[in-house]
Amino acid sequence: MKRPMRPHRHRHDPSKNLVGFLIGDVSYAVPIALVREIANPLDIVSLPHAPPSVVGVAHYRGEIIPVLDLRVRFGLPAVQTTRKTKWIVVMSVDRLVAIVVDAVTDVFGTAGGELAPAPPLGGGEDLRGIAGVTTYEGGMVFVLDSTRFKDAAGSVGELRAGPLLAAQLPKGPL
């Protein structure tokens, strides 16, 4: 018996241009075009003299990438890693950076609207790197500027998987 042909499905929806996540009780997002992957946390090697928000580096698909904890960057207390804790691996200018988030929530869009300008937040504005604000499901979502991740992660220098560093980094399943 011949099966009826199903219409070809396109899973890419251009109206869904943001990846949403939580840090504490606050909703944030990054542009989906900059997201390489959403992954479970890997093993990290700490680096001396790194900024507090750079928790270390990880071996990710053959590359050594800095890992940026947004809770620390935003001045929030540390919490235990749970099953919901994820890394969002994003392109930040010219390098990959993993950002640690409490939970990934959804892929959504701005419904064709522009981002509202970020509200003035005082001294933490530069640290948070908010590109703008949108709404989703009745709540505010702060869209982050991924180029600001490079500012923090860039201070760990250009990392190459040399023999000494590569020997310290466990090769994860990714």
Side-chain angles (χ1 to χ4, degrees):
M1 182 170 182
K2 195 173 185 179
R3 292 184 192 187
M5 287 187 61
R6 286 190 252 174
H8 181 62
R9 284 203 212 165
H10 293 283
R11 294 181 190 254
H12 176 69
D13 182 350
S15 68
K16 294 183 175 184
N17 58 354
L18 297 170
V19 175
F21 56 91
L22 293 174
I23 302 294
D25 294 329
V26 180
S27 295
Y28 294 92
V30 290
I32 198 167
L34 301 176
V35 174
R36 174 80 140 327
E37 183 173 355
I38 297 169
N40 289 320
L42 300 172
D43 292 329
I44 298 173
V45 172
S46 299
L47 295 176
H49 309 293
S53 62
V54 178
V55 294
V57 294
H59 191 266
Y60 169 79
R61 299 196 183 276
E63 293 184 55
I64 307 302
I65 64 170
V67 180
L68 183 66
D69 189 336
L70 291 183
R71 281 182 104 17
V72 174
R73 186 168 171 92
F74 296 166
L76 297 172
V79 295
Q80 283 292 106
T81 298
T82 68
R83 289 181 44 190
K84 290 184 176 183
T85 304
K86 298 293 180 205
W87 286 7
I88 302 177
V89 180
V90 297
M91 181 57 73
S92 179
V93 184
D94 60 354
R95 76 176 314 160
L96 291 174
V97 174
I99 57 172
V100 181
V101 303
D102 293 345
V104 173
T105 55
D106 206 353
V107 175
F108 62 96
T110 57
E114 294 293 316
L115 293 179
L121 300 173
E125 195 172 339
D126 287 335
L127 283 178
R128 288 185 185 246
I130 297 172
V133 181
T134 189
T135 57
Y136 179 66
E137 293 186 343
M140 280 195 303
V141 178
F142 297 95
V143 179
L144 299 181
D145 177 359
S146 71
T147 62
R148 300 291 181 94
F149 303 149
K150 168 95 180 193
D151 297 342
S155 61
V156 299
E158 289 301 314
L159 302 171
R160 299 283 181 248
L164 182 58
L165 184 57
Q168 294 179 44
L169 289 168
K171 293 190 182 349
L174 294 178

